[in-house]
Amino acid sequence: MVGLSDNAVQPPSRSGPRSRRGCWTCRSPQVKKRCDERRPTCGRCTRLSLHCDYSLRPTLAQRRRKEIAAHAQEGSSLTIVRLAATSTGVCSLTLSNTDHEAIRFFRTAFAKFHHTKNPDYSLFSIMFDIAQEDPMVMHMVISLGILEMDHRRPNKESKQEQNSRRHYTSALGFMRDAVSPRNESQDIDAIYTALWLMLLYEQQFGDAGCKAYANHLTGAASLLQDRGQRLLQLPSSTAGSLEKAPVLLRRSHGQDGSKLSVYSARIIVWISLLDAAAASSGIGGQVNGALFSILLNSGGSNKYATPVEAFSRLHRYSNPLYRLAWGDLYPQPELLDDVENRNIYALLGQCGQLRFMVAQLAVLYRKDAAAAALKARDVDVSIEQVGYFFTELMEVASDLSLDTDNSHRLVANIRAIVPMYHAVVLDFMRVSAFDQPLGDRQRHALREILNMAYQSFKHDGDEAIIRVAWPLFMAALETDDLLHRDWVLDRFAAIGKYGKNFERAHRFLKEMIPAQQNLGRRIELRARLERTEQFVLA
């Protein structure tokens, strides 16, 4: 956010004339609001998370010539955007002004909310390239953009939710055709992209039973099982660097249909993280189960010892994504930034797999406690190995002070991702040592989660809390410090405006914490979730 400096343009008086130098977003006929002329982003656009447009506009004479040329078109407020479709022909989408605003929001504010990477060179930029070619993906871009943009405004509008749902329904129709066995020219990149966007939609705004979320996960798992055995034949690291192996940026842009593109590999990584998050709530695990079944059982040099190792190989395979996407045009600062943040994102991926393993362990404890106790040893070893491998990151996270802000991307990522590891520890101990009091291991994890979350909050407010929602959720259930617990509850109350899942998590905590206090012991988390409204915290 851009704050006012001594040299900044001050807001115009409310009694004065409307600004003629303000941004076009505030000056549009639909808005007609005074603009404080702050650059590069004015105060109103910053507050409402809108795209602040200071671009040059055509002159009056140029606009009149354009209006004359377009006069014959009916519905001049709409724009016809041509999108490349399947080989059967050309399709088009008719987009309203709201749809265009949602697209701009997706490419700017939305991308920043969901990832710390520069939006111009992020996965969201590649997603939008695919959306311009595929109407299924474009419908989901607009659907998510509309709904998240609306939730971040002071007053939500029911008509916007209906508009978002309309685009979502259209995307579902295209998805049915895309995955049909009769479709011989399936665009795997577009299908996985749309699936991830649908999962994100359901994770944030879906139904209380998470039925659609579970259905999408099942669909993604089926897609992997159907084609994964052939596609997930990744190069062996023993044969040389994975990043020097022949790779394909996009399947739709190449001829080799037998290879998994690095883009799809990265999207599968993102889908697996959402699946692991859902497994923590008892509704996921299908995707990771299918993924590991394929990777762990593949023969030859692709044989992996553990799920964590298998996932690490998939993540490393996708590392050249951004360099391949932009080639020589990829800025050197972006390249160096990728290298600097590579380990922290590797930790995030492995935390997702540990989270999935703990969720599986919880299910096993309910079926066979003796077998689960044996399995718990293996899970504990995996958790310890990941912690040992990323010891340096853990130490840096512990040494960060409140004075260090989040302007450095690695700092922001450390404060958001390292707490995920400590939340895995809390979850594992809650499952495997259910009746035992808090020990040193849990108290260390609690201290690290709360310290990093507080630091993030002081610098970036509630936007940063969204990124550590699950670690804070686990901390609220485990801590015996009333001040810490109340602070976490306040944070969940504040972020409830950003998605229905946060509202449900807040209600759950308000019921669960007093119940545990009254009983004087822990309540089995996943069993309780089965009897109430469900949610997923990624």
Side-chain angles (χ1 to χ4, degrees), residues 83-86 91 93 127 130-144 167-179 183 186-198 223:
L83 301 175
T86 59
C91 70
L93 290 183
M127 285 183 184
I130 296 176
Q132 293 184 91
E133 303 169 359
D134 192 288
M136 171 177 62
V137 179
M138 181 63 82
H139 276 300
M140 283 311 305
V141 163
I142 297 171
S143 177
L144 259 176
H167 282 287
Y168 191 167
T169 302
S170 297
L172 289 173
F174 280 110
M175 179 64 77
R176 283 192 292 269
D177 294 337
V179 299
N183 185 358
Q186 294 178 339
D187 187 342
I188 299 298
D189 297 330
I191 291 172
Y192 281 137
T193 302
L195 274 172
W196 183 81
L197 293 170
M198 289 175 180
L223 191 65

Side-chain angles (χ1 to χ4, degrees), residues 165-456:
R165 178 61 63 174
R166 176 175 59 83
H167 282 287
Y168 191 167
T169 302
S170 297
L172 289 173
F174 280 110
M175 179 64 77
R176 283 192 292 269
D177 294 337
V179 299
S180 171
R182 297 188 300 273
N183 185 358
E184 297 180 356
S185 58
Q186 294 178 339
D187 187 342
I188 299 298
D189 297 330
I191 291 172
Y192 281 137
T193 302
L195 274 172
W196 183 81
L197 293 170
M198 289 175 180
L199 284 168
L200 187 63
Y201 181 104
E202 294 298 338
Q203 187 258 328
Q204 293 185 247
F205 311 111
D207 61 280
C210 292
K211 294 180 180 178
Y213 197 124
N215 288 339
H216 290 329
L217 289 175
T218 300
S222 298
L223 191 65
L224 280 173
Q225 290 167 341
D226 183 41
R227 300 169 179 82
Q229 193 67 50
R230 175 171 54 88
L231 291 177
L232 290 174
Q233 298 297 314
L234 306 180
S236 171
S237 61
T238 59
S241 171
L242 282 173
E243 297 190 16
K244 293 181 179 178
V247 291
L248 184 70
L249 170 63
R250 291 263 311 280
R251 278 170 53 93
S252 57
H253 289 173
Q255 301 297 323
D256 191 351
S258 66
K259 287 184 180 179
L260 180 73
S261 72
V262 293
Y263 172 81
S264 283
R266 182 58 59 90
I267 290 293
I268 290 172
V269 166
W270 282 25
I271 290 174
S272 72
L273 292 175
L274 287 177
D275 177 70
S280 294
S281 297
I283 61 169
Q286 303 95 310
V287 173
N288 282 294
L291 185 61
F292 296 144
S293 175
I294 294 169
L295 291 175
L296 295 177
N297 294 324
S298 60
S301 60
N302 264 351
K303 192 73 174 179
Y304 307 105
T306 66
V308 171
E309 180 187 340
F311 182 87
S312 177
R313 184 72 58 83
L314 179 65
H315 187 270
R316 288 178 59 200
Y317 175 77
S318 69
N319 277 340
L321 173 63
Y322 301 119
R323 298 204 307 273
L324 283 173
W326 281 275
D328 293 338
L329 298 178
Y330 195 53
Q332 287 293 303
E334 292 295 325
L335 178 62
L336 295 174
D337 186 65
D338 291 343
V339 174
E340 184 179 54
N341 285 273
R342 184 167 295 171
N343 273 352
I344 193 66
Y345 281 116
L347 173 61
L348 175 62
Q350 297 198 16
C351 284
Q353 308 324 302
L354 294 175
R355 192 173 175 181
F356 168 67
M357 293 165 67
V358 173
Q360 284 186 311
L361 183 65
V363 173
L364 185 58
Y365 262 107
R366 298 174 68 178
K367 296 179 179 178
D368 188 340
L374 293 175
K375 182 67 174 177
R377 300 174 189 173
D378 295 334
V379 176
D380 196 15
V381 168
S382 294
I383 294 173
E384 291 288 346
Q385 286 177 340
V386 170
Y388 176 77
F389 188 81
F390 294 99
T391 298
E392 187 176 4
L393 284 175
M394 304 292 178
E395 292 174 346
V396 170
S398 295
D399 292 338
L400 283 175
S401 70
L402 186 60
D403 295 333
T404 305
D405 64 27
N406 282 349
S407 59
H408 194 91
R409 184 181 172 220
L410 180 59
V411 173
N413 283 338
I414 287 175
R415 284 178 172 150
I417 294 173
V418 171
M420 293 289 182
Y421 175 80
H422 295 298
V424 168
V425 172
L426 291 182
D427 196 17
F428 170 73
M429 297 301 293
R430 187 180 181 95
V431 169
S432 61
F434 184 74
D435 297 324
Q436 299 177 22
L438 289 175
D440 292 341
R441 191 177 182 186
Q442 289 115 306
R443 292 195 181 278
H444 173 73
L446 284 168
R447 184 167 57 252
E448 293 296 294
I449 290 171
L450 292 166
N451 182 44
M452 281 179 274
Y454 180 74
Q455 290 182 13
S456 292

